[in-house]
């Protein structure tokens, strides 16, 4: 069982109000205001949905992602790319570790500044995940 809400500070309700993250009995929850009633939603329920969304975005793109990650790390060799690609293909195991360790507060703050946002309903179902998009490689912008 996770000890902290993975996306604390990044989860909002349908009315764009931030969901508070609290711990009750050692279990993390997101708290959503339902007309004055504070609904406690298990953080793991929300967090696993968001991680599932991220997994779907990565599936089939492991080669490209590993290549880009290796370049960013300055490890642009075949061995490093293969190691990163293997980690991406076994992403479920990485997510389990992430659920236990959590995302550092600084990283969550950066994610929020970059535009990452999770919107949930009163039952904890993820309605959408807003995230910054990569620049258009063709250089085209909004018209």
């Amino acid at each position: 069982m996770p000890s902290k809400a993975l996306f604390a500070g990044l989860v909002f309700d349908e009315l764009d109000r931030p969901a508070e993250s609290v711990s009750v009995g050692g279990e993390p929850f997101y708290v959503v205001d339902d007309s004055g009633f504070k609904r406690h939603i298990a953080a793991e329920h929300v967090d696993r949905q968001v991680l599932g969304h991220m997994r779907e975005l990565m599936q089939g793109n492991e080669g490209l992602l590993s290549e880009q990650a290796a370049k960013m790390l300055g490890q642009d060799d075949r061995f490093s790319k293969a190691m990163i690609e293997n980690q991406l293909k076994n992403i479920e195991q990485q997510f389990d570790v992430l659920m236990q360790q959590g995302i550092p507060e600084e990283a969550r703050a950066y994610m929020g500044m970059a535009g990452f946002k999770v919107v949930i309903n009163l039952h904890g179902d993820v309605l959408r995940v807003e995230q910054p998009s990569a620049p258009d490689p063709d250089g085209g912008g909004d018209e």
Side-chain angles (χ1 to χ4, degrees), residues 2 4-7 30 43-59 88 91-103 111 116 118 126 129 131:
K4 294 187 218 174
L6 197 56
F7 297 102
Y30 293 111
E44 185 171 8
H45 173 70
V46 174
D47 295 345
R48 290 227 179 251
Q49 289 177 75
V50 176
L51 293 174
H53 172 77
M54 292 177 165
R55 180 188 62 241
E56 287 175 17
L57 292 175
M58 287 188 260
Q59 274 182 324
L88 290 172
I91 199 72
E92 284 299 323
Q93 294 169 354
Q94 305 306 317
F95 286 164
D96 289 339
V97 170
L98 186 62
M99 290 290 290
Q100 293 305 315
Q101 294 180 350
I103 298 173
M111 290 170 71
F116 185 89
V118 178
V126 173
V129 176
Q131 54 193 25

Side-chain angles (χ1 to χ4, degrees), residues 5-71:
L6 197 56
F7 297 102
L10 301 170
V11 177
F12 294 79
D13 69 8
E14 295 173 271
L15 301 175
D16 204 34
R17 297 176 299 196
E20 182 183 359
S21 59
V22 299
S23 180
V24 178
E27 185 177 349
F29 290 88
Y30 293 111
V31 181
V32 178
D33 185 350
D34 182 8
S35 301
F37 180 76
K38 303 290 185 179
R39 288 187 182 262
H40 287 62
I41 300 163
E44 185 171 8
H45 173 70
V46 174
D47 295 345
R48 290 227 179 251
Q49 289 177 75
V50 176
L51 293 174
H53 172 77
M54 292 177 165
R55 180 188 62 241
E56 287 175 17
L57 292 175
M58 287 188 260
Q59 274 182 324
N61 297 308
E62 293 90 350
L64 176 64
L65 291 169
S66 62
E67 183 178 319
Q68 294 303 315
K71 284 181 184 176

Side-chain angles (χ1 to χ4, degrees), residues 118-132:
V118 178
V119 179
I120 63 173
N121 66 15
L122 296 174
H123 305 287
D125 299 323
V126 173
L127 301 176
R128 67 183 181 276
V129 176
E130 298 175 7
Q131 54 193 25

